[in-house]
Amino acid sequence: AGSAVYSGSGVPYQAPPGTLLRLVITARDAAGNATSTTRDVLVPYDDGAAPQQYAGWTAGSSSGSYGGRQRSTTGSGTLTLRTSTNRVLVVGARCRSCGRFSVSVDGRVVQTVDTYGASSQRQRLLDLRLAGAPALHTIVLRALATAGRPRVVVDAVGLVA
């Protein structure tokens, strides 16, 4: 039988959205020898939580989504973040009807992301690494209404400084 300690008090820790946790996991074998590994885990903001703002998106319930809901657009919806970061993690969907969105930093398009997938996949991580050091930026994700596959789905957003 195994055991787990969640915090110094043994009480599970509920990390707030936007928190980057460093987990140290230690296992001991029958002889008492310890082996450890470290993993960083980001607690994302749910699609309806701060700090992101949506325009032209539809909110919907989804049992397979983070927090039980997600946002989607089939037009030119925008998701706007004002934050000090150089890395944005978007949790969303890939699917046959999923299209592209652009990523702008301070009004300049820096990349385009295609969310097409041959099969439907929920909670896919899109890691948007932005050039330069972390600084206060306005980041806008704009759906591009791709012909034949206009849908873009966002489930959660993570910000890494």
Side-chain angles (χ1 to χ4, degrees):
S3 65
V5 176
Y6 300 99
S7 67
S9 67
V11 176
Y13 175 68
Q14 181 72 35
T19 303
L20 182 63
L21 300 173
R22 174 152 291 160
L23 303 178
V24 179
I25 303 155
T26 304
R28 296 193 185 276
D29 63 18
N33 300 312
T35 303
S36 294
T37 188
T38 302
R39 295 287 184 263
D40 289 338
V41 178
L42 179 70
V43 179
Y45 292 94
D46 188 29
D47 66 284
Q52 64 264 30
Q53 298 173 332
Y54 294 86
W57 295 73
T58 302
S61 298
S62 177
S63 62
S65 297
Y66 182 78
R69 61 180 181 253
Q70 64 187 18
R71 304 251 178 159
S72 64
T73 185
T74 55
S76 56
T78 59
L79 183 163
T80 303
L81 303 150
R82 184 146 171 83
T83 185
S84 295
T85 189
N86 65 348
R87 189 170 173 200
V88 177
L89 303 172
V90 177
V91 179
R94 291 190 181 276
C95 65
R96 289 171 107 51
S97 63
C98 291
R100 299 179 309 137
F101 65 87
S102 65
V103 180
S104 298
V105 178
D106 300 328
R108 187 175 65 84
V109 175
V110 296
Q111 62 183 295
T112 300
V113 177
D114 196 339
T115 64
Y116 172 81
S119 61
S120 293
Q121 302 170 2
R122 290 183 176 177
Q123 295 188 336
R124 304 310 306 168
L125 182 65
L126 308 170
D127 190 348
L128 311 176
R129 294 174 186 254
L130 311 174
L136 184 60
H137 295 292
T138 299
I139 301 168
V140 177
L141 280 57
R142 180 180 307 279
L144 299 176
T146 309
R149 48 190 189 94
R151 189 166 188 239
V152 175
V153 178
V154 172
D155 188 2
V157 174
L159 306 173
V160 181

